[in-house]
Amino acid sequence: RPLAHRPEGRPSRAEAIDGYARQVSGGGMFGYYKKRLFWITERLRHQEANLDDLQNLLVMQRWLTKQIFAVENRQRSLREERKELKAKLAIRMEKAASRLIKKRVAWIDRRHERLNDVAFVLRAFGDGIAFLYLDAHAVKPLTFEGDGSYFKRSAGTLSGKSGLATEILVLEEAIRRGVPAILCDLTNSIRHGDVCLLGNSDPYLIEVKAGSVRGHRGERQRVDVGRLNTFFENDRGELLGAPMSTRASLPSKPVDHIAALNLAASEALEHGQCVSNPEPGVWIVAQTGGFRREPFDAIDVSQRVGIYSWNGWKMDRAWLSYRPFTLHFRSPEALYAFISGRLFVLVLVDYDGLLAALARHGIDADLFPDEPYMIAGPWPDGTDGRWGLSAHYVDRLGVELLSPEWFASAQ
């Protein structure tokens, strides 16, 4: 989480930056996938420019399914080998042989975890497909469950899913009828339903069952999908534990600093580092060839600052309901450098600057880093009670590089 979310007594800004510096590495085994990642990046860019090319949409999903199957098969082999090795350790043996087996088990654990990273990145391209069609704010309810305070668990392995063949038939039928669609299990963000129709900026979820729905879990899934579809259709309804939620359109098109990010990434790839300050209170630091502290010492921000390590969010596989990095980086070289760990990106957002921007728009607010509503204040018209912006919403400043000035004007 950003530093501003931490309780008092936790790391200072300098200590937090040092901690994030340890996340520069972590590229894992992506060199093996380099050519494949360049290929799917090209296909995704083509889809972005040709949203009606549904054949390409289907080709990408078949490719992602094949790649995820290969990753899961490799993980399955590793788990079987690990089980055999652990059984051997239960038998008395020489210490040297025992050490070798333990070393191999540790290697298997690391490799299995790195393959989880690969699967996450592959699904980030699936997220890229979804976000080409869907409104970014419409995706959040698809990631969470309950009262919205925790992520919905993923369905498990794609290759072990008994109803996958039926889901693919539904996907192909939707595309045959001219409706863009995606298999939900090819994304990190869409965790409700099996197939998501992308014909509008709002999703339409389909729960596919090869047979009749049985059991409490199947019924709960059906009800959750029904609630979400009803909410998107009516712009109101039960959502994330709230008995009645209402949504409204933003007053203006979002303004972001993705162009500044790409310029900074290009400069860092060519010269080693770049610090960009696209507007007061926002800094983008891009580095290659190892972490260097010097740029951070020159950045003048308050102690109430959000520090967003994009590499950390990726490594922690926490980049779920936000516009994915596969769409942020326009250059295939920059995207691959970020995925592989060669490019390090840190975004700093001065929250005191955000509060000042809100004040310029006549909104009195303060920062509550440990509360569900991170920024809150009294209603401007004097109405009893308080309004608030959730931490998830405010994090869009750092993860989607939204302009704080626009952000304040849109409230």
Side-chain angles (χ1 to χ4, degrees):
R1 302 292 297 164
L3 175 63
H5 295 196
R6 300 171 184 268
E8 294 296 327
R10 292 297 178 87
S12 66
R13 178 162 65 93
E15 291 170 334
I17 290 173
D18 285 339
Y20 291 130
R22 293 191 289 271
Q23 299 169 339
V24 175
S25 60
M29 54 194 299
F30 286 104
Y32 176 78
Y33 291 89
K34 183 175 181 179
K35 289 184 178 180
R36 282 174 257 191
L37 292 176
F38 270 80
W39 182 87
I40 189 63
T41 300
E42 178 191 357
R43 291 293 86 209
L44 184 62
R45 295 291 173 269
H46 171 84
Q47 194 67 31
E48 187 173 13
N50 303 274
L51 293 178
D52 293 333
D53 188 350
L54 301 190
Q55 187 58 38
N56 182 66
L57 183 64
L58 187 58
V59 166
M60 283 193 293
Q61 294 187 65
R62 286 172 174 166
W63 184 89
L64 286 172
T65 301
K66 179 180 178 181
Q67 298 302 317
I68 293 172
F69 264 50
V71 169
E72 292 177 352
N73 288 337
R74 178 58 179 149
Q75 287 182 308
R76 192 175 297 110
S77 297
L78 288 172
R79 289 194 297 269
E80 291 172 356
E81 181 184 355
R82 189 184 192 279
K83 183 178 180 180
E84 293 173 359
L85 291 173
K86 294 294 284 186
K88 290 181 179 179
L89 285 176
I91 303 172
R92 291 182 61 86
M93 64 177 67
E94 296 290 334
K95 288 185 177 180
S98 177
R99 280 197 297 269
L100 287 174
I101 291 177
K102 290 178 181 178
K103 185 176 180 180
R104 177 67 180 177
V105 169
W107 178 89
I108 288 173
D109 291 341
R110 291 193 300 272
R111 179 52 62 96
H112 194 281
E113 190 65 14
R114 295 291 72 78
L115 286 167
N116 282 335
D117 293 337
V118 172
F120 175 80
V121 167
L122 289 171
R123 286 187 168 95
F125 284 93
D127 292 323
I129 294 172
F131 276 81
L132 288 180
Y133 294 89
L134 300 178
D135 180 85
H137 294 280
V139 176
K140 179 188 174 182
L142 310 184
T143 306
F144 291 82
E145 67 178 347
D147 61 359
S149 60
Y150 54 92
F151 297 126
K152 186 179 188 299
R153 292 185 61 184
S154 60
T157 62
L158 182 65
S159 56
K161 194 169 186 181
S162 59
L164 180 61
T166 307
E167 294 173 19
I168 292 175
L169 288 176
V170 174
L171 170 72
E172 292 175 341
E173 178 63 16
I175 288 178
R176 188 185 70 80
R177 291 172 177 260
V179 179
I182 188 169
L183 293 176
C184 299
D185 287 338
L186 296 182
T187 73
N188 295 303
S189 56
I190 306 178
R191 300 195 169 190
H192 292 271
D194 297 311
V195 176
C196 181
L197 302 184
L198 308 173
N200 296 303
S201 60
D202 286 335
Y204 187 85
L205 301 171
I206 299 176
E207 185 76 16
V208 179
K209 294 297 177 186
S212 59
V213 177
R214 296 186 179 91
H216 174 71
R217 182 172 178 271
E219 179 62 20
R220 187 182 72 247
Q221 291 173 338
R222 186 187 65 79
V223 170
D224 288 343
V225 165
R227 285 173 180 162
L228 287 166
N229 285 336
T230 298
F231 175 81
F232 289 123
E233 181 179 354
N234 300 322
D235 290 328
R236 64 198 306 269
E238 185 176 350
L239 186 72
L240 299 178
M244 180 54 66
S245 295
T246 304
R247 66 173 182 167
S249 299
L250 291 168
S252 61
K253 184 179 178 180
V255 175
D256 61 47
H257 296 303
I258 296 301
L261 163 73
N262 282 278
L263 287 173
S266 177
E267 181 76 11
L269 289 174
E270 185 174 354
H271 300 292
Q273 72 177 20
C274 178
V275 179
S276 176
N277 182 204
E279 81 170 81
V282 178
W283 289 264
I284 304 168
V285 181
Q287 294 183 335
T288 59
F291 176 77
R292 295 175 295 284
R293 270 198 58 99
E294 298 79 30
F296 299 96
D297 295 333
I299 294 176
D300 182 22
V301 293
S302 72
Q303 280 297 321
R304 299 207 295 183
V305 58
I307 304 176
Y308 297 83
S309 166
W310 280 26
N311 301 66
W313 282 63
K314 172 175 66 70
M315 290 170 61
D316 292 340
R317 301 191 284 274
W319 206 309
L320 299 179
S321 54
Y322 299 99
R323 188 172 177 85
F325 51 84
T326 49
L327 294 180
H328 285 335
F329 293 98
R330 308 308 303 167
S331 158
E333 291 77 14
L335 176 57
Y336 176 74
F338 175 72
I339 289 173
S340 64
R342 179 175 167 237
L343 176 64
F344 174 66
V345 176
L346 199 73
V347 175
L348 287 79
V349 178
D350 188 339
Y351 286 139
D352 283 326
L354 174 61
L355 297 178
L358 288 166
R360 287 194 294 274
H361 290 277
I363 303 175
D364 181 24
D366 204 350
L367 188 69
F368 301 91
D370 303 321
E371 300 295 329
Y373 290 97
M374 181 179 163
I375 291 179
W379 288 104
D381 61 2
T383 302
D384 290 340
R386 296 171 67 82
W387 62 271
L389 303 176
S390 70
H392 181 280
Y393 186 45
V394 176
D395 282 347
R396 294 185 186 274
L397 294 170
V399 186
E400 296 182 347
L401 276 173
L402 293 180
S403 161
E405 189 63 37
W406 171 83
F407 188 89
S409 71
Q411 304 313 316

